[in-house]
Amino acid sequence: MTRSIRGAAALTRAVAAGAAAPGASQHRLLQATLRNPRASTSSPWLSELLSGRRWPPIPSVSNGVAGARLVSAAAATSAAREEGSRGAKFLPDDVVLYQYEACPFCNKVKAFLDYYKIPYKVVEVNPISKKEIKWSDYKKVPILMVDGKQMNDSSAIIDQLFEKIHPDDLAEDEEERKWRGWVDNHLVHVLSPNIYRTPSEAIESFDYITTHGNFSFMERLVAKYSGAAAMYLVSKKLKKKHNITDERAALYEAAETWVDALKGRPFCGGVKPNLADLAVFGVLRPIRHLQSGKDTVEHTRIGEWYDRMRHAVGNTTRAMTQSWQESRERI
Ligand SMILES: N[C@@H](CCC(=O)N[C@@H](CS)C(=O)NCC(=O)O)C(=O)O
């Protein structure tokens, strides 16, 4: 395999892993597709879409809420900001996240670090060689190194960091636990069938992923199209595996379920986000400006909560490496 194809295969495996770990047969299908990119590009639906449009620029947020809701949203935003700055009491010198850019579990951790204003560096792991985490016995991502101490598993990482930030507030409430579980066991499974739902959506998603990952121009090009083709097929298998008949309906239903869970409060945590809010936001943030995210905001009531979260979480505290800065400028 050429370096580019290997990169594409690696990337696609990462995405497949992020797509809630498809079975071995799906991995084989992916690898077969990627080893024979000609087969993928000769498929009629893909070539038809090779001219697919680029991911549009991030639109400005429209705030269409009524006056009373605006007041409570403003109060909630200021409470959330104050809470977010509490991370300042926990000041590690060196935080490094080993991740796959598209992994929802990694994105949960990033939302937490951003909200608590904890600066961190990111190391993108090659999902085939995993050479960046060769030193670790634990072979999944995310792995977080905090001043040299290794933390594994998104929920365990978040729990340990939360304990450091809130040493006197360790009793997780039942509701928060329930919804954090719902994110890991339900919401993440609905995402892949949606972001790779059609060939054009699969290309759009791969455009996002390859733009944000660490790829050369050629790797990006190959990964974008062959990866999109493979994941389009894999997503159909995942849909079956998780008993999803209509993926968009399932995504809308999940969004509505979440809004119902808020019970009219600005956040699940009340006037400020709790760990359930951060988990839902973390896994949805990368898809917000993909077609599936736009459709969800248009067809469900989740947009107001999402905008409150966006304001509460604020700017990322991820260290701006040159390639990350450049990839943000490209979109
Ligand atoms: N329960 C773990 C799940 C982590 C997980 O499954 N990560 C995937 C990527 S999204 C992974 O590393 N899979 C193994 C692999 O790629 O080989 C967590 O919450 O962190």
Side-chain angles (χ1 to χ4, degrees):
M1 271 196 295
T2 67
R3 196 164 161 258
S4 303
I5 304 290
R6 262 204 312 275
L11 170 76
T12 309
R13 242 191 104 213
V15 176
S25 61
Q26 286 127 348
H27 270 310
R28 275 196 297 277
L29 169 64
L30 264 172
Q31 296 296 332
T33 313
L34 289 164
R35 286 202 179 105
N36 187 1
R38 196 135 32 130
S40 340
T41 47
S42 65
S43 100
W45 53 263
L46 185 65
S47 50
E48 193 183 304
L49 282 147
L50 286 177
S51 58
R53 66 189 164 70
R54 270 191 64 78
W55 185 35
I58 296 172
S60 60
V61 181
S62 70
N63 201 345
V65 290
R69 294 295 291 272
L70 262 177
V71 173
S72 80
T77 301
S78 99
R81 284 243 168 83
E82 196 184 310
E83 170 69 4
S85 67
R86 290 189 67 170
K89 288 188 181 162
F90 167 59
L91 292 171
D93 288 325
D94 190 37
V95 177
V96 183
L97 176 68
Y98 293 82
Q99 68 147 18
Y100 303 150
E101 187 64 36
C103 160
F105 304 105
C106 303
N107 282 303
K108 270 168 50 186
V109 173
K110 284 186 279 190
F112 181 95
L113 295 170
D114 289 340
Y115 178 61
Y116 280 106
K117 304 282 162 270
I118 300 169
Y120 58 102
K121 289 175 245 155
V122 162
V123 174
E124 193 68 19
V125 174
N126 178 316
I128 296 252
S129 68
K130 296 199 176 161
K131 63 179 186 318
E132 297 81 1
I133 53 169
K134 273 250 148 67
W135 47 268
S136 169
D137 291 337
Y138 180 76
K139 293 297 178 198
K140 290 187 177 182
V141 292
I143 294 173
L144 194 72
M145 294 300 293
V146 178
D147 289 338
K149 179 177 185 277
Q150 180 175 352
M151 299 179 184
N152 305 326
D153 187 284
S154 60
S155 296
I157 292 169
I158 288 167
D159 287 342
Q160 287 174 72
L161 294 177
F162 188 86
E163 268 182 53
K164 290 180 186 297
I165 295 164
H166 297 273
D168 305 323
D169 177 15
L170 298 182
E172 186 181 25
D173 91 40
E174 195 50 49
E175 184 187 29
E176 185 178 27
R177 193 196 330 271
K178 171 183 156 187
W179 290 106
R180 287 177 74 191
W182 175 80
V183 171
D184 289 354
N185 301 321
H186 178 73
L187 187 58
V188 298
H189 299 305
V190 177
L191 296 182
S192 293
N194 274 283
I195 67 174
Y196 308 113
R197 184 178 67 127
T198 62
S200 64
E201 284 186 66
I203 290 172
E204 181 194 39
S205 299
F206 263 82
D207 191 30
Y208 170 82
I209 292 163
T210 53
T211 302
H212 285 71
N214 198 5
F215 296 94
S216 70
F217 176 77
M218 265 316 285
E219 284 170 341
R220 219 168 30 233
L221 204 65
V222 174
K224 180 171 161 183
Y225 295 108
S226 54
M231 281 311 294
Y232 170 79
L233 299 174
V234 167
S235 74
K236 303 298 162 215
K237 304 244 173 200
L238 289 171
K239 195 174 141 177
K240 240 186 219 152
K241 180 177 169 189
H242 296 293
N243 290 323
I244 298 169
T245 41
D246 178 338
E247 58 276 21
R248 268 305 195 267
L251 183 58
Y252 296 165
E253 194 186 322
E256 291 294 347
T257 299
W258 176 243
V259 176
D260 287 341
L262 299 175
K263 299 185 197 130
R265 298 164 297 180
F267 301 106
C268 179
V271 291
K272 59 193 186 203
N274 64 12
L275 298 180
D277 289 290
L278 288 169
V280 177
F281 179 74
V283 305
L284 292 183
R285 184 164 57 169
I287 75 157
R288 167 62 184 92
H289 296 287
L290 299 178
Q291 191 57 51
S292 48
K294 288 190 276 193
D295 288 351
T296 307
V297 167
E298 192 179 328
H299 292 101
T300 73
R301 297 165 292 151
I302 204 167
E304 289 180 16
W305 168 84
Y306 184 90
D307 287 344
R308 281 194 292 278
M309 282 303 295
R310 200 165 66 83
H311 285 113
V313 170
N315 292 333
T316 183
T317 44
R318 175 177 177 162
M320 287 289 163
T321 57
Q322 197 180 348
S323 62
W324 173 245
Q325 176 75 46
E326 281 166 8
S327 72
R328 281 167 66 95
E329 282 162 6
R330 272 197 296 271
I331 55 169

